[in-house]
Amino acid sequence: TNQSQHAAHGVIVPLLNTVDDARSLVKSAKFPPAGQRGFGSPFAMEKFGGVTQTEYLQQANESLLTIVQIETQDALKNVEEIARLPGIDVLFCGPFDLGNNIGHPILDGTMHDELKEAVAKIQRVAKENQKASGIYATSGDQAREFADQGFQMVSVATDAASLPAAMQSALTSARGSYVHSALNMAKGAIRGR
């Protein structure tokens, strides 16, 4: 089944490298005349407050965000051409993958100057082509910095980082302090448990 027929109103595509990749994405994500997305599902219309099929089709392409991740050397080389393509709405920078792919991985949270230049290029190209720019951040503070730099879409954290940290915090709270745990263990030993 085509996932775009299940009421998706935004797609983010990683590892997109060329304008041909971007053209294929637009064809799959947008309804005619902008693309070739099928109209096989009635579920998407429910998300718009009971609009008719005609009303839905008239506004669907404008409301569907098509986001491409610029995170490879090829994508960076082709970013201007990708950004000029009608139907691409957001250029999203994946700095970790981009850094790895251009030979300047992020080490100890520090971006190499060439990676900083690549990130700035993606943002500049997005702005020049009236596209939004997005980026992945590793903390709220870094997200604020990127927002202050003009990025319109900033991922503040990932589930892979946030869930373990939240679970560790909850577990630590549930266990109590080390001193409290040691006292309880000593009390148990005194009582013969």
Side-chain angles (χ1 to χ4, degrees):
T1 182
N2 182 341
Q3 292 302 310
S4 67
Q5 292 180 0
H6 293 286
H9 281 90
V11 292
I12 183 165
V13 177
L15 300 172
L16 186 131
N17 291 303
T18 68
V19 73
D20 288 336
D21 293 343
R23 271 192 202 97
S24 292
L25 169 61
V26 171
K27 278 184 179 180
S28 296
K30 305 285 185 177
F31 291 105
Q36 297 175 337
R37 179 177 172 179
F39 191 63
S41 173
F43 300 114
M45 290 174 288
E46 293 175 358
K47 308 303 182 213
F48 286 89
V51 298
T52 67
Q53 288 182 353
T54 301
E55 291 167 331
Y56 175 75
L57 283 174
Q58 288 174 335
Q59 57 79 45
N61 282 344
E62 289 180 22
S63 68
L64 177 76
L65 283 179
T66 307
I67 306 163
V68 295
Q69 288 188 240
I70 306 299
E71 54 188 352
T72 67
Q73 180 72 45
D74 286 339
L76 184 62
K77 179 181 73 175
N78 296 315
V79 70
E80 290 94 347
E81 195 175 6
I82 291 168
R84 284 193 295 267
L85 185 66
I88 298 297
D89 302 304
V90 182
L91 301 181
F92 191 90
C93 178
F96 286 92
D97 287 330
L98 182 60
N100 290 341
N101 278 284
I102 66 171
H104 299 292
I106 296 175
L107 302 174
D108 298 321
T110 304
M111 281 193 200
H112 188 278
D113 286 342
E114 285 186 41
L115 178 55
K116 288 179 185 176
E117 291 170 17
V119 169
K121 176 182 179 179
I122 293 165
Q123 185 184 26
R124 176 183 47 78
V125 168
K127 187 174 185 176
E128 288 171 354
N129 288 277
Q130 293 81 46
K131 310 290 181 174
S133 60
I135 192 164
Y136 169 76
T138 57
S139 69
D141 290 337
Q142 187 181 50
R144 169 66 65 186
E145 289 175 29
F146 287 139
D148 289 346
Q149 291 171 17
F151 284 93
Q152 295 95 347
M153 180 181 172
V154 182
S155 174
V156 178
T158 65
D159 55 354
S162 299
L163 288 175
M167 293 304 294
Q168 185 61 49
S169 176
L171 185 57
T172 299
S173 293
R175 286 183 179 154
S177 70
Y178 176 75
V179 173
H180 180 74
S181 295
L183 287 173
N184 283 336
M185 287 173 47
K187 287 178 188 176
I190 291 171
R191 292 184 188 136
R193 293 183 200 168

